[in-house]
Amino acid sequence: MTIIEDTPVGRLRKDGAPHAPVPGPAAPPQAPPYPSGDQPVRPTASRVADLVELQERVLRGPSPKATEAQHAKGKLTARERIDLLFDKDTFTEVEGLRRHRATGFGMEDKRPHSDGVITGWGLVDGREVFVYAHDFRIFGGALGEAHATKIHKIMDMAAAAGAPIVGLCDGAGARIQEGVTALAGYGGIFQRNVRSSGVIPQISVIMGPCAGGAAYSPALTDFVFMVRETSQMFITGPDVVQAVTGESVTQNELGGADVHTGRSGVAHFVYDDEEECLQELRYLLSLLPANNRELPPAVPVEDPVDRLTESLVDLVPAERGRAYDMRAVIEELADDGEFFEVHQRWAGNVICALARMGGQVVGIVANQPCDLAGVLDISSSEKAARFVQFCDSFNIPLVTLVDVPGFLPGVDQEHGGVIRHGAKLLYAYCNATVPRISVVLRKAYGGAYIVMDSQAIGADLTLAWPTNEIAVMGAEGAANVIFRREIAASDDPEGTRERLIREYQDKLMHPYYAAEHGLVDDVIHPAQTRVKLIGALRMLRSKYTALPSRKHGNQPQ
């Protein structure tokens, strides 16, 4: 083995050979005079000018003709909608220069920037909100791989930031030229909808066609807005329906705004134009927390918290068979008489609304005596259950106004699964851990009384007016069952029936019977209702309930 001495460079090794010279620092590589070898480097100012021109071109959209076509349909462009949604000059776009990479069917020659969807975030009344908006002027807003990836990214950003996300939907479904990759893009959206459910508010605004798989994402979100005449939702379009069933139907007849807000219950809100729709969307966002870790935003209120509601004494008739409008009751209780009703045109026998009391946001569930006498049925049970679950997810206290004669009887209801659907509302209330206060205004009979957030299923506080009647059923029906033989054997059946009805009412249906048995916490003067509710909500604001450890419950479907 050759041994090398630690000697200066140039001296001999022990074997007599000279040391190899120690390499010095390498010389820096010589850059060519120009990047291409023959062109000068463009100055930064020139490149910035190119960027500005490109950004302006992206903001203008594909062409004036495409914009005019959008306006001719009575619709705004995606960027015009975003301007109306957000506070002025607060929108920040993400991936505005993205383009698809599909080939075939001429796609390689059509690569517009943004790829038909605008994504980003901005402020709504000073609070952060994320958005994606289909641009119908580009590929008809159809979803392809790059388009879907942009939506995935903004949904992930919203979840990470803990802020609401809004989808402004105006697209023709999956991009056929991209095949299965477009369908996979929808799958990624659906997965994120479910992951964010109950974590951040998700709102869909249908402002054009929303067909096929595209319709499932709005169905997974918390609220759906629609615009009359210009927005439609359906799984299969009119042509397919006619080919399969022979039925001839227009797009609006099949899946228009009035259909989905009044008949199917798919959509929650409907408006005549996009400007009003987006303005009401801003108002809804002002009532919601940013995520499930926050309380709803409180605001200063000029409506006195000690204001008496004297008009309620005359507003609600004592006669249990007389109708009245429960909305008038809610107006008296809410701050400044303002409330935001959800699903107003569907299942009108129950009212679901967001309002403020003492500046704090509350969710209100109330029977509506002027619609089917306020009974519960399949649709109203589903409507209320969904609303209760939403409020519980986002820390919104629940106030339940009870005036219910029972569940709607009938073969159609029983065969349609009223038991299963009614159980959804029962499950939602029993599972809710937010503050829960119920007020029995008048009648509360049978299973419907239990389901409407009775004390037995966990209401924190139960109040009642002196007009309340809480019982298994109405006095007339109860007397017919209990005293059937006695009435039949009487020489005066009608007189005996009336006497026994009054006897049953005096013993079991007087307004203090439930209070005497601890099922009502207090019987209050109607004029004190608002004061009592605000005081109870203040007391329950820090309520905490620990639930059993579980992956999730198996709620009725």
Side-chain angles (χ1 to χ4, degrees):
M1 180 175 66
T2 301
I3 300 176
I4 302 176
E5 291 182 337
D6 185 13
T7 56
V9 175
R11 297 198 181 173
L12 298 179
R13 302 185 309 185
K14 286 194 174 183
D15 59 3
H19 287 281
V22 176
Q30 295 297 315
Y34 308 114
S36 63
D38 58 358
Q39 295 293 327
V41 176
R42 294 177 61 207
T44 300
S46 174
R47 298 188 182 194
V48 169
D50 287 347
L51 171 62
V52 171
E53 193 279 330
L54 175 60
Q55 290 174 330
E56 290 177 350
R57 189 165 68 246
V58 171
L59 289 175
R60 286 195 301 268
S63 70
K65 184 177 179 180
T67 301
E68 290 171 6
Q70 182 79 348
H71 289 164
K73 297 173 185 175
K75 301 194 297 182
L76 301 174
T77 66
R79 295 190 183 277
E80 289 169 340
R81 292 163 178 165
I82 287 173
D83 288 342
L84 287 174
L85 173 61
F86 290 111
D87 300 345
K88 186 176 177 58
D89 297 329
T90 64
F91 178 65
T92 299
E93 187 170 356
V94 177
E95 295 195 354
L97 302 181
R98 183 102 183 217
R99 299 197 291 179
H100 73 76
R101 54 188 178 185
T103 58
F105 308 102
M107 291 295 289
E108 61 272 15
D109 300 323
K110 301 175 182 177
R111 300 183 64 229
H113 292 96
S114 82
D115 201 47
V117 66
I118 301 166
T119 58
W121 73 88
L123 300 180
V124 176
D125 292 329
R127 302 168 68 222
E128 200 165 74
V129 174
F130 288 76
V131 70
Y132 63 87
H134 301 300
D135 191 341
F136 194 83
R137 299 172 300 170
I138 298 176
F139 297 131
L143 180 140
E145 180 189 23
H147 182 121
T149 302
K150 289 181 64 174
I151 297 177
H152 297 169
K153 179 171 183 174
I154 206 66
M155 293 179 77
D156 290 340
M157 291 176 70
I165 185 160
V166 173
L168 303 180
C169 305
D170 185 6
R175 196 174 297 170
I176 300 173
Q177 297 93 327
E178 296 195 31
V180 71
T181 57
L183 297 178
Y186 275 125
I189 294 172
F190 302 157
Q191 183 189 48
R192 287 166 173 81
N193 285 140
V194 174
R195 290 288 179 88
S196 292
S197 180
V199 179
I200 57 174
Q202 301 180 85
I203 302 172
S204 299
V205 187
I206 314 302
M207 303 186 119
C210 185
Y216 283 113
S217 178
L220 291 170
T221 59
D222 298 306
F223 297 109
V224 178
F225 287 70
M226 293 189 75
V227 180
R228 284 190 177 93
E229 303 303 326
T230 59
S231 63
Q232 303 87 29
M233 294 176 68
F234 38 72
I235 300 300
T236 55
D239 293 341
V240 177
V241 170
Q242 185 168 26
V244 174
T245 70
E247 298 173 280
S248 178
V249 64
T250 67
Q251 288 193 351
N252 276 324
E253 290 170 343
L254 181 62
D258 288 322
V259 169
H260 285 312
T261 53
R263 184 176 299 177
S264 71
V266 170
H268 302 78
F269 310 101
V270 58
Y271 300 98
D272 291 328
D273 57 68
E274 295 188 7
E275 291 85 353
E276 182 185 11
C277 179
L278 292 169
Q279 190 62 38
E280 291 301 294
L281 169 59
R282 285 175 57 92
Y283 180 62
L284 173 61
L285 288 167
S286 75
L287 296 169
L288 305 181
N291 55 65
N292 64 348
R293 301 184 303 276
E294 296 183 4
L295 293 174
V299 299
V301 62
E302 295 182 0
D303 194 350
V305 296
D306 59 352
R307 171 172 61 82
L308 297 180
T309 51
E310 299 280 2
S311 64
L312 294 182
V313 176
D314 299 319
L315 184 60
V316 179
E319 298 88 344
R320 61 184 179 279
R322 285 183 56 192
Y324 63 94
D325 191 348
M326 184 66 82
R327 291 187 182 91
V329 176
I330 297 173
E331 285 180 3
E332 282 296 310
L333 299 177
D335 290 349
D336 302 313
E338 293 183 357
F339 64 95
F340 194 69
E341 187 170 352
V342 178
H343 263 148
Q344 180 178 354
R345 301 181 67 250
W346 181 61
N349 41 321
V350 70
I351 295 172
C352 298
L354 294 168
R356 281 192 170 92
M357 292 186 185
Q360 306 293 334
V361 177
V362 298
I364 299 173
V365 179
N367 305 111
Q368 174 59 296
C370 68
D371 192 321
L372 292 178
V375 298
L376 290 177
D377 61 359
I378 290 173
S379 295
S380 61
S381 296
E382 285 191 347
K383 170 180 171 178
R386 174 78 170 171
F387 183 73
V388 168
Q389 287 181 161
F390 173 81
C391 289
D392 187 51
S393 295
F394 292 102
N395 310 310
I396 299 174
L398 287 162
V399 172
T400 304
L401 305 177
V402 185
D403 190 350
V404 61
F407 278 91
L408 180 64
V411 175
D412 289 344
Q413 287 290 308
E414 295 296 344
H415 289 184
V418 67
I419 297 172
R420 175 167 52 88
H421 294 285
K424 294 178 184 178
L425 180 53
L426 183 61
Y427 187 100
Y429 268 126
C430 290
N431 201 47
T433 60
V434 293
R436 292 157 49 190
I437 306 169
S438 65
V439 183
V440 182
L441 279 62
R442 211 165 52 169
K443 57 190 177 295
Y445 296 156
Y449 152 69
I450 301 173
V451 170
M452 288 295 292
D453 205 19
S454 64
Q455 191 176 101
I457 64 170
D460 296 296
L461 191 69
T462 305
L463 306 173
W465 287 4
T467 49
N468 83 83
E469 288 185 356
I470 303 175
V472 175
M473 64 177 67
E476 293 83 355
N480 289 338
V481 173
I482 298 173
F483 306 114
R484 182 179 67 255
R485 293 181 180 178
E486 186 174 344
I487 292 171
S490 173
D491 295 333
D492 181 13
E494 287 304 317
T496 302
R497 188 195 314 275
E498 292 297 322
R499 176 176 59 81
L500 293 174
I501 287 173
R502 289 194 299 271
E503 181 181 329
Y504 182 84
Q505 289 175 325
D506 292 341
K507 287 184 177 180
L508 296 178
M509 295 183 66
H510 64 80
Y512 308 104
Y513 184 83
E516 291 170 358
H517 288 75
L519 298 175
V520 165
D521 292 297
D522 196 10
V523 179
I524 64 172
H525 193 296
Q528 296 179 321
T529 307
R530 172 177 159 85
V531 176
K532 293 285 187 181
L533 286 173
I534 291 175
L537 289 166
R538 186 184 299 117
M539 176 271 294
L540 291 166
R541 189 163 178 79
S542 58
K543 174 189 174 183
Y544 172 76
T545 301
L547 292 174
S549 176
R550 60 181 177 182
K551 188 174 182 180
H552 56 73
N554 186 20
Q555 65 188 58
Q557 296 296 325

